Amino acid sequence: MNIEGYVRDVDNNDVVVSAEIPNVFYKKVTIPQALYNKPFSIPIDVLADGIPPGRHTITVKVVDPYNFKDERTLNVNVSYRLRNKSFILINTPVDISTSYTDYEGDPKYQDRYRYDHDPNFFDNSMGMIGDSGLWRNSQYQSFPYSGVYTATFQARDNPKNDNLFDDYRLWSRDNLSSMTFHVHRKPIALFSAKLTGGWLQITDSSYDLDHIKAYNKGLMDWQWQYKKNESEMWMDGQPPAQLPISEQYDIRLRVRDVDGENGAGVWSDWCVRTVGSAGNLPPVALFTVEPNIVSYRKATTVTDKSFDPDNDPLDVYSWTVVKDGWQQVWSHWGGAATPPNIAAYGVGTYQLTLQVHDNRGLWSEPYSQTVQVMNHPPAAAFYMPSEVYRDTVIPLENLTPDPDEDGDGLSYGWNARINNSGYYYTSGNRSPVITVRDLIANYGISQQQAISDGWEMRLTASDGSLSSNATRLFTVKNHIPTAEISGPTVVYQYDNKTYYGIDVDEDSSDAGSLQYYWKITGSDGTTTMYRTANINIDFPDTGSYTIEHWVVDQIGAKSNVAKLKIDVIENQAPATTLTAPAGTVTNPTVLDAELQGDPLIGWNYSDPENDPQEKYRLEFFAADGQLAKTVENTDSTGGLRQYKVPNPTFERFAVFSLYARAYSKGSWSEVSNEKAFIIDNPPHAGFTLMTDTGRNAAAVPIYRTDVLQITSTATDADIPKGDSIKHQYFLKPSSGTEGLASVQESFTKQFTSNGIFTLRQVVMDSLGLYRELSQNITVVNRLPQVTITYPTSTSAANPTIVSTLTPVIQWDYQDEDGDVQQRFKVRIINLASGAVKAQSGEQVSGAKQWKVPSGTLAENEKYAVEVEGYDGFGWSSVSPRKYMMVNLLSIKGAVQHTEEWNSNRQAYNLNKSGNAESPRGYTVYWAGEKFVLQGTATGLPDTVQVTMSGGYSAQLSPTGSDKTKWTGELADPSFEQLPDGPVTFTFTATNEFTTKVDSVTVTILGDWSEYYQSHRVK
């Protein structure tokens, strides 16, 4: 639309013409030198300029440079016809145009509408219309909540004006009868402006509630204008950064959102600010609330954006928060503050009002915003196919956000209906999987009724207090069955053939209830009808036959008509080929008389028409050409292809030949190929196993020193008729590989190793039949024997006494097989504890002695000795025990002076020589001295006796329980008469096991009086 007119100015000034719809539209043009009437034109584009529907008053103003003006008004009506994918403002009147046609000419009976509302398409959901997803009888004239809507319109025809025929009044299914559109809110222009020292500070806080989370707050354009306060015309663009502080300027801003075609939406209302003044301008109260629409489970944030155009400090804030228009829930008067979380006061509509006061005594105008705290209803939404069949597995894809915007968990109800029926409960799961077949079975819907485009599925989602619905229409279709004939197209006279209906109905509900139709047209033109799934047809005459076949499902849908033309040709004779036995006259099959007996005759049968075999004939001939036997049998099944000759029918070890014929539909086949066979008595294996020592190796083990005679006892019943047999013997160790041992009838064998051997005899006759016999032969090893020769004692009570801690154990080794000792084991056992005191371990050696390691035996412990020997095949039994004990008895004698006489000896020497040990050494005694005797012993002697030359003796006594020190004295008055010269003392130590002696010799020089005489002289 263009606003057109004329302007003039008697002063011939340039004038500015503007057109304005308050808070909606503003444009201006300049008309130069308007002395005479000059035309002007200001275009308005309803879409591009975002003019909302409604009645608008346009003010057209003309202003000269001196701010004189004139103005006129005009009215314009903007109506909005809703279009697909369009954008409209909340509460804007809209109209959806509808049309109705019916190709049968039926009048319209009823309209219905459904609006599917997605409230969460935009930020700050305002809620959901109460009947979203449900049918209603009238249109919405406007929409109170933001979101995406899909509007669906259906009309119902009236083929007969009689309510008895209500089931035949059908709803339209035209998929063009729906449209999708967006309902949104105006953006909000918001800014603050201060003038400080001539410098202008502007802070933009504009936003669109529908896109509050977007980086651009949902805005695509900003329109700034400014003017001096007294000016009538606005200048486009932001004001300069520097303004004179002595003049007042008005600044205004409006913003445009992105919710429109090509991303250009509607303009906001103007936001106006005033700056600059010789006096004091009042402050401006301003704040934002994030979000304005909030869940009762969430929180709001109030941000103060108040300012003073003169940049004066704000000293008083006056807040009120009023719920539902009457209940003041919070207030504040004092320093800077913001309200607490509004959602904490519960569900309701809250008006937040703020006034601010500057420090120069002026109050702002009150500034208010509305905050809605709400329980958001669930946003029910789901997807399902629009066309299904009765057997289609339908996953109901639940698109409902769960939990909902408030964080509430949801419950669900799924209900379906067909045409005008009531709703059928389907499931309570979130995303169930259903089939129409289940609904048919559960609610008694007929198969015919189910085939309809009048189905709808409704989802109801509930958070416990609020619920919403989503509805989807769908069509249940029927698969048309298909028919096909399977069977031969060329047959032979007299054939009986089965023809199969290869019928398919993709609806399993119909597959078992198909009705079958066959029409057979014979070669003579006669027709026959059948109602079975498959048919059998006889063809008695040659010529051409035609088969037609179709099926009808329970819905009444008829398949295609399948046709098949069949040519019937004259019958031909069969053919027979012998397959068993496989031999020929020159190379007859050899049959084992015991395993196979008389032959199993086999043959192949063929017929050009595939006619079945009705009977067969077999003819057997001897080697001289005479007929030996004829067999002829009927075949009721047509499948016989073999005949077993009863046993015994034919002579053994004689050649026979045979031929065959088959009969079908009045014709014998030609004579078959010739086959030949001979029935042979197989040989029987047998042998004996005897050693040169008279042992039967089949019954008892033998030894390596034995010579084994293997003698065959094999026979063959056909030998008198000229048959003969050959021998083979194979020998296999239990863990080795079988090898050929001999091809002689009988032979000898001596084994070189032990173990179990399998001897297998194979005997074969001249026709290649063979038998075999296996016998296990056990060759055992005779274990060696070990006898201990040292120690020699066989009594634990009287063991061999060993005078060393490392004795050498010796033994004797014997083996009946002549095997030498390869290893030995020796154990020495403490008889008191039963513990093994020393052992050799397994020694690889032929030695028959072993030295006990040092440090293993203890003295005076009794030991048992055991030995085992190994001959390379096995260990001997443990030898009979021998017993020993280590006793290291010893005695070391010493002859000493008494302390007094030793002192006398030393004094004498000092007197003589000045040396205490010369001239009389320690072993020199005066006759008459008492001899002090001392023995040092080992081996715990029981007694220690000392015998002195001349027959004197003394018994020594131990000084402790360890019996290592023995002491005593020997004195006698006759000792004064001992002549000078040597005197020998013999120390004898004795215990229960042995006796040990030691001798000590001293010298007699002078008598005891000599000492005193010497001292007196001195």
Side-chain angles (χ1 to χ4, degrees):
M1 182 183 79
N2 289 323
I3 301 172
E4 297 179 347
Y6 294 89
V7 294
R8 67 176 179 170
D9 183 83
V10 295
D11 300 316
N12 199 28
N13 291 316
D14 296 343
V15 295
V16 178
V17 181
S18 66
E20 181 175 13
I21 302 173
N23 289 319
V24 174
F25 173 81
Y26 182 86
K27 280 187 180 178
K28 64 181 181 179
V29 295
T30 299
I31 306 299
Q33 299 176 345
L35 179 61
Y36 301 105
N37 289 347
K38 279 195 172 183
F40 69 87
S41 178
I42 299 177
I44 294 180
D45 187 325
V46 173
L47 292 180
D49 295 325
I51 310 299
R55 181 179 177 84
H56 300 283
T57 297
I58 304 176
T59 299
V60 181
K61 182 188 298 184
V62 58
V63 180
D64 70 6
Y66 303 99
N67 212 32
F68 289 100
K69 67 177 181 179
D70 190 21
E71 61 183 41
R72 298 288 185 271
T73 61
L74 62 90
N75 295 319
V76 62
N77 288 316
V78 177
S79 63
Y80 194 86
R81 178 166 290 175
L82 199 59
R83 294 176 295 112
N84 195 37
K85 298 183 180 179
S86 60
F87 291 83
I88 61 172
L89 289 173
I90 58 174
N91 298 316
T92 297
V94 295
D95 177 59
I96 299 178
S97 298
T98 63
S99 62
Y100 171 84
T101 58
D102 187 286
Y103 70 90
E104 297 172 328
D106 297 333
K108 182 166 68 173
Y109 178 74
Q110 186 180 0
D111 288 338
R112 67 178 180 180
Y113 304 85
R114 192 181 80 246
Y115 296 86
D116 295 294
H117 179 201
D118 178 3
N120 298 316
F121 181 81
F122 295 114
D123 295 344
N124 289 299
S125 169
M126 301 176 68
M128 177 183 284
I129 58 174
D131 56 359
S132 173
L134 303 178
W135 291 107
R136 54 184 284 137
N137 295 325
S138 61
Q139 295 187 34
Y140 271 102
Q141 301 303 310
S142 63
F143 299 94
Y145 301 133
S146 61
V148 173
Y149 292 77
T150 299
T152 302
F153 163 70
Q154 288 186 344
R156 192 179 181 197
D157 66 3
N158 188 22
K160 188 173 181 62
N161 195 23
D162 186 338
N163 288 337
L164 294 177
F165 292 86
D166 189 63
D167 288 342
Y168 297 95
R169 293 167 176 162
L170 301 180
W171 290 103
S172 63
R173 292 290 179 263
D174 186 357
N175 59 9
L176 297 178
S177 64
S178 67
M179 67 170 60
T180 299
F181 53 91
H182 305 75
V183 177
H184 68 113
R185 290 162 283 198
K186 265 189 178 184
I188 296 173
L190 198 65
F191 72 98
S192 62
K194 300 179 183 180
L195 191 60
T196 306
W199 290 94
L200 180 63
Q201 299 177 4
I202 292 178
T203 303
D204 179 21
S205 302
S206 304
Y207 60 91
D208 185 344
L209 285 172
D210 296 325
H211 303 283
I212 198 67
K213 298 177 183 178
Y215 73 96
N216 61 355
K217 300 299 182 182
L219 305 178
M220 55 82 61
D221 198 5
W222 286 256
Q223 185 178 8
W224 292 91
Q225 294 181 342
Y226 70 98
K227 68 183 180 67
K228 289 183 179 180
N229 183 258
E230 68 276 8
S231 176
E232 292 293 337
M233 285 296 171
W234 292 91
M235 291 178 285
D236 290 323
Q238 283 195 8
Q242 281 188 297
L243 292 174
I245 60 175
S246 60
E247 294 185 89
Q248 272 193 7
Y249 282 86
D250 294 332
I251 306 169
R252 70 179 183 178
L253 167 69
R254 68 173 182 170
V255 292
R256 193 174 193 180
D257 66 18
V258 297
D259 298 317
E261 293 187 10
N262 300 318
V266 298
W267 289 98
S268 69
D269 295 339
W270 290 101
C271 176
V272 182
R273 302 286 185 239
T274 300
V275 298
S277 174
N280 181 29
L281 289 174
V284 177
L286 188 64
F287 62 88
T288 60
V289 183
E290 174 63 27
N292 289 76
I293 301 172
V294 62
S295 166
Y296 72 98
R297 291 179 179 269
K298 298 182 181 178
T300 57
T301 300
V302 179
T303 304
D304 176 38
K305 294 182 177 291
S306 303
F307 66 95
D308 188 284
D310 307 317
N311 207 29
D312 297 331
L314 303 179
D315 56 3
V316 180
Y317 282 73
S318 176
W319 284 95
T320 59
V321 179
V322 177
K323 179 180 181 180
D324 295 333
W326 64 272
Q327 180 186 2
Q328 181 172 297
V329 296
W330 186 80
S331 65
H332 171 80
W333 197 95
T338 54
N341 173 26
I342 304 302
Y345 296 111
V347 174
T349 301
Y350 297 82
Q351 180 168 309
L352 283 65
T353 303
L354 171 65
Q355 274 189 292
V356 294
H357 182 270
D358 69 14
N359 67 348
R360 289 201 284 170
L362 293 182
W363 283 95
S364 70
E365 292 295 324
Y367 177 75
S368 297
Q369 283 202 49
T370 299
V371 175
Q372 185 176 2
V373 179
M374 62 184 298
N375 176 19
H376 292 84
F382 71 97
Y383 170 78
M384 68 172 293
S386 60
E387 290 186 352
V388 299
Y389 294 89
R390 282 164 290 168
D391 297 321
T392 302
V393 177
I394 309 169
L396 299 176
E397 183 181 357
N398 195 334
L399 305 176
T400 309
D402 189 355
D404 66 7
E405 189 172 347
D406 302 312
D408 297 328
L410 305 181
S411 60
Y412 301 96
W414 298 85
N415 292 275
R417 74 172 178 176
I418 179 173
N419 296 321
N420 298 315
S421 72
Y423 282 95
Y424 306 124
Y425 177 75
T426 303
S427 177
N429 297 329
R430 173 171 170 80
S431 296
V433 176
I434 68 166
T435 65
V436 174
R437 183 181 58 214
D438 294 335
L439 295 175
I440 293 173
N442 293 338
Y443 295 105
I445 304 169
S446 70
Q447 301 287 343
Q448 290 82 358
Q449 182 185 5
I451 307 304
S452 170
D453 58 2
W455 283 90
E456 67 178 59
M457 179 65 70
R458 175 184 294 176
L459 166 64
T460 302
S462 173
D463 65 3
S465 59
L466 298 178
S467 63
S468 65
N469 299 276
T471 301
R472 294 288 179 268
L473 303 181
F474 64 99
T475 298
V476 178
K477 303 179 73 175
N478 179 51
H479 286 103
I480 304 300
T482 60
E484 186 180 344
I485 302 172
S486 175
T489 57
V490 177
V491 300
Y492 293 93
Q493 188 181 10
Y494 309 124
D495 279 355
N496 176 276
K497 297 296 182 182
T498 300
Y499 289 84
Y500 299 91
I502 309 301
D503 308 313
V504 177
D505 193 310
E506 294 184 42
D507 297 313
S508 63
S509 303
D510 296 339
S513 59
L514 292 176
Q515 301 178 56
Y516 302 93
Y517 296 88
W518 298 85
K519 180 181 178 182
I520 314 302
T521 303
S523 59
D524 57 357
T526 59
T527 61
T528 308
M529 296 293 294
Y530 296 92
R531 293 292 304 276
T532 57
N534 307 308
I535 58 172
N536 292 314
I537 305 177
D538 289 321
F539 297 95
D541 301 314
T542 59
S544 180
Y545 288 68
T546 301
I547 302 178
E548 296 174 87
H549 170 58
W550 65 95
V551 293
V552 177
D553 69 12
Q554 61 181 327
I555 307 304
K558 179 181 177 181
S559 73
N560 60 299
V561 177
K563 290 186 178 182
L564 188 67
K565 182 179 178 181
I566 303 160
D567 293 323
V568 182
I569 60 179
E570 188 176 352
N571 183 57
Q572 299 180 37
T576 302
T577 303
L578 282 170
T579 59
T584 64
V585 174
T586 58
N587 186 22
T589 295
V590 178
L591 300 175
D592 191 315
E594 293 179 353
L595 300 180
Q596 299 164 288
D598 285 83
L600 175 66
I601 310 302
W603 62 91
N604 288 332
Y605 170 87
S606 64
D607 187 275
E609 305 90 355
N610 292 322
D611 296 332
Q613 174 181 275
E614 297 178 20
K615 55 184 175 179
Y616 61 90
R617 179 186 299 157
L618 303 174
E619 295 178 339
F620 298 86
F621 295 88
D624 59 2
Q626 296 296 315
L627 180 64
K629 185 175 181 61
T630 298
V631 176
E632 184 173 317
N633 291 321
T634 59
D635 181 4
S636 59
T637 65
L640 292 178
R641 298 294 181 267
Q642 63 182 25
Y643 170 77
K644 178 65 172 69
V645 178
N647 289 332
T649 298
F650 295 106
E651 180 185 356
R652 275 37 181 166
F653 210 66
V655 177
F656 293 89
S657 59
L658 73 148
Y659 301 89
R661 283 188 174 189
Y663 176 87
S664 177
K665 292 189 176 179
S667 301
W668 281 100
S669 70
E670 295 294 328
V671 174
S672 73
N673 55 322
E674 183 183 30
K675 293 295 182 181
F677 62 89
I678 180 173
I679 305 172
D680 182 21
N681 286 306
H684 290 101
F687 57 89
T688 59
L689 301 169
M690 294 298 295
T691 69
D692 58 344
T693 58
R695 291 175 176 271
N696 183 356
V700 298
I702 64 173
Y703 308 113
R704 299 194 309 277
T705 55
D706 292 339
V707 177
L708 181 64
Q709 176 68 44
I710 298 98
T711 303
S712 174
T713 59
T715 61
D716 189 309
D718 292 330
I719 289 177
K721 297 180 180 180
D723 207 350
S724 61
I725 58 175
K726 296 179 181 179
H727 291 74
Q728 281 184 311
Y729 292 89
F730 298 90
L731 189 64
K732 179 184 180 302
S734 59
S735 59
T737 303
E738 184 180 67
L740 181 65
S742 178
V743 294
Q744 300 177 12
E745 183 176 345
S746 300
F747 67 100
T748 60
K749 168 71 176 176
Q750 185 173 10
F751 292 89
T752 59
S753 59
N754 302 316
I756 298 176
F757 299 83
T758 301
L759 182 65
R760 182 168 64 94
Q761 180 196 55
V762 179
V763 289
M764 181 181 294
D765 67 12
S766 61
L767 295 181
L769 294 187
Y770 67 93
R771 292 292 188 269
E772 62 181 49
L773 177 66
S774 295
Q775 175 65 51
N776 285 341
I777 302 170
T778 302
V779 180
V780 297
N781 177 52
R782 285 175 284 193
L783 297 177
Q785 293 181 349
V786 177
T787 303
I788 298 173
T789 58
Y790 184 84
T792 60
S793 174
T794 59
S795 171
N798 188 23
T800 298
I801 301 302
V802 178
S803 60
T804 175
L805 289 172
T806 57
V808 176
I809 308 302
Q810 300 175 350
W811 62 89
D812 180 49
Y813 172 90
Q814 294 180 345
D815 190 291
E816 291 185 71
D817 294 325
D819 300 326
V820 298
Q821 174 184 292
Q822 296 187 13
R823 302 180 188 184
F824 67 81
K825 291 188 286 187
V826 180
R827 287 182 298 278
I828 299 176
I829 302 163
N830 186 316
L831 287 179
S833 64
V836 175
K837 192 70 173 181
Q839 57 183 336
S840 67
E842 189 173 312
Q843 298 280 337
V844 180
S845 173
K848 299 174 182 58
Q849 63 179 30
W850 176 69
K851 184 177 182 180
V852 179
S854 62
T856 57
L857 302 184
E859 202 177 348
N860 297 328
E861 289 183 355
K862 293 182 179 181
Y863 298 104
V865 182
E866 296 177 346
V867 178
E868 293 178 67
Y870 180 73
D871 64 356
F873 301 100
W875 288 92
S876 69
S877 299
V878 177
S879 68
R881 284 185 171 185
K882 294 294 181 71
Y883 301 92
M884 68 177 183
M885 186 179 76
V886 178
N887 187 260
L888 304 179
L889 181 64
S890 67
I891 186 67
K892 181 67 174 176
V895 179
Q896 298 175 335
H897 300 274
T898 64
E899 290 184 8
E900 179 185 0
W901 276 103
N902 191 46
S903 297
N904 291 341
R905 180 186 66 84
Q906 292 177 335
Y908 176 85
N909 286 335
L910 289 172
N911 184 41
K912 290 291 187 182
S913 65
N915 184 347
E917 297 301 323
S918 179
R920 296 183 72 91
Y922 191 85
T923 60
V924 178
Y925 289 77
W926 281 289
E929 278 191 55
K930 180 188 294 184
F931 297 102
V932 178
L933 306 176
Q934 182 175 304
T936 301
T938 62
L940 297 174
D942 293 328
T943 62
V944 176
Q945 187 173 5
V946 181
T947 303
M948 175 182 162
S949 303
Y952 300 98
S953 65
Q955 193 78 24
L956 302 188
S957 299
T959 61
S961 60
D962 59 356
K963 295 184 179 183
T964 58
K965 295 294 185 181
W966 294 73
T967 60
E969 295 178 345
L970 189 60
D972 193 274
S974 64
F975 288 178
E976 295 180 11
Q977 307 303 320
L978 290 174
D980 289 347
V983 176
T984 299
F985 294 84
T986 301
F987 290 77
T988 302
T990 304
N991 61 18
E992 61 177 318
F993 307 112
T994 188
T995 299
K996 293 292 178 70
V997 297
D998 187 33
S999 297
V1000 178
T1001 301
V1002 299
T1003 303
I1004 302 297
L1005 182 61
D1007 62 30
W1008 62 275
S1009 62
E1010 179 184 341
Y1011 168 75
Y1012 293 104
Q1013 293 172 0
S1014 171
H1015 276 64
R1016 282 195 299 269
V1017 172
K1018 186 178 179 181

